[in-house]
Amino acid sequence: MRWRCMAQTAILASRFYGTGACTVKLACPHQFTLLRMRITSMRGTSHDMMRLPLFTKAHGTTRRALNRSPVGSTFRFLATASGTGCSTSSRTERPRRSLFSVPGADQRFITKAQGLKADAVVLDLEDGVAYDRKHAARDLVQQTLLDSSQNFGSAELCVRINGLDTRDLALRDLEAVLPCNRLQAVVLPKVESASDVLFVSRMIDAFCEDRDVRIIAAIESAMGFLNLREIAETAKDETSKAKLDALVFASEDFCADIEATRTESANEMLYARSQLVIAAKAFGLQAIDMVHINFRDLDELKMECEGGRQMGFTGKQAIHPAQIDIINDRFAPSTKELDFASRTVQEYEQTTTNGQGACVVDGIVVDMPVYKWAKKIVERAAKAGML
Ligand code: COA
Ligand code: MG
């Protein structure tokens, strides 16, 4: 299984680096056979290629041979053709009402995040880190993941890597964080195609073996939206174990990309936000809404949370501690909503047992679609610990 992943990663990595043709033949596990990979036009040096995690994870002898090989060599790998993925439906859902972004270059922020109640803490290596601090941030985030005395409570521990368009930065981020046992999800920014997600899932498969590390994809460009369906559809990809689990709408990069003017009403993003919710729901994914950038205005945040929830978002990004509790609260069902939903479920189930197809709760007709909606509210409340 591991070798198979490496083989796939090799192909992806070679494409990623802008290399030429590579032909691959996978054989049975006990044979030392053929993975012929001819690197015809590699952009980086031989050393760059060897630094790829795939090679650093290779068996010692293989690795030594690879390290001696010049560009243009034909490589031989041991590869197996076995292994299957697991489907999204069989996995437990992780609550992600609040996805809290913590700049990865600053220990002060990382320490602060440990006492907060975010559902997911995202240690950021991307745009929350200045370019000249990228290496230091990567080291600090790796240390944080390795040091279990840094306790984030029940929060899901995630890392936002640099976008795959940065090539070297992104690969080094993955190489640094994927082996860390406490990592639970990779937030992949600026996703524009299914192959972006598939590349990262292969890397996770190769590095994380049986650990359940998931992918959260941020959609931030016109191209990302044009390819949204194929991106979301990777959640059903059976060839890899690591899966896409959520889509995130990234408002600021999106507006910059399409040259929209950011307004208080956020009308300029309505279409894209709706599209994201629809694509996410079609493939069983969570939909996580944009950052509220006017972060000191908490009343405005409450309204934005309401709007997002009404559209079907399941959570929202946070960038400041004061936003977390409000987001958690607004993305859990309200007491009133839960009360109505619970009674709706009970009444409807009673009604159908009695052979009828609809009933009335608080003056509202409850039929199958309303029942389904109410069931989801009750399920969400249970996940938020309200029941
Ligand atoms: N993660 C962890 N702690 C944070 C935090 C964050 N994102 N934002 C603020 N804090 C901490 C501060 O360190 C401070 O801690 P202290 O009380 O121990 O001193 C406390 O929360 C209050 O912060 P405050 O003084 O109100 O804000 P600030 O001026 O320090 O920071 C920002 C404001 C916007 C610079 C900061 O919130 C930030 O960098 N946020 C992340 C932005 C980001 O990640 N952008 C990219 C992703 S979309
Ligand atoms: Mg962004």
Side-chain angles (χ1 to χ4, degrees), residues 118-135:
D119 284 338
V121 166
V122 182
L123 302 173
D124 187 20
L125 296 174
E126 202 220 4
D127 288 349
V129 174
Y131 193 76
D132 60 355
R133 309 275 318 273
K134 292 285 183 192
H135 300 307

Side-chain angles (χ1 to χ4, degrees), residues 100-103 108-110 112-113 116 124 127-128 160 291 295-296 317-321:
F100 180 45
S101 190
V102 180
R108 191 174 55 106
F109 284 141
I110 293 175
K112 180 80 177 179
L116 304 171
D124 187 20
D127 288 349
R160 180 166 77 164
V291 168
F295 68 95
R296 304 247 182 243
Q317 299 165 80
I319 51 162
H320 189 276

Side-chain angles (χ1 to χ4, degrees), residues 95-114:
R96 294 195 191 99
R97 294 165 301 175
S98 49
L99 199 72
F100 180 45
S101 190
V102 180
D106 197 327
Q107 182 63 54
R108 191 174 55 106
F109 284 141
I110 293 175
T111 304
K112 180 80 177 179
Q114 294 170 39

